[in-house]
Amino acid sequence: MSIFQIKQKKSGAVLWTGAADSEQTALDAMAREAGYRDFSSLPDTIRADGIEAAKLDLIS
């Protein structure tokens, strides 16, 4: 598992940070914590501003 951070591209707001197996499972986890079934269930207005998932490499 890796740590992912999901941000809204336009505002730079961090929407979610947590462990997931892939970018898609991270996006789905973020959506579930916000009360949606999965990422594709998020309203278009949220997804329209652009959302990016970055894998954080925390090993030094």
Side-chain angles (χ1 to χ4, degrees):
M1 247 190 221
S2 298
I3 303 296
F4 287 87
Q5 185 175 70
I6 300 174
K7 289 183 177 183
Q8 193 169 37
K9 286 183 183 180
K10 189 174 185 177
S11 69
V14 175
L15 303 175
W16 184 85
T17 302
D21 291 326
S22 68
E23 182 177 320
Q24 186 59 53
T25 57
L27 291 167
D28 288 340
M30 181 246 347
R32 280 193 301 278
E33 285 192 21
Y36 296 90
R37 185 187 54 194
D38 57 22
F39 181 70
S40 64
S41 299
L42 287 173
D44 290 336
T45 54
I46 294 173
R47 290 185 286 135
D49 285 340
I51 293 177
E52 61 183 9
K55 188 175 179 181
L56 303 179
D57 292 324
L58 301 174
I59 298 174
S60 53

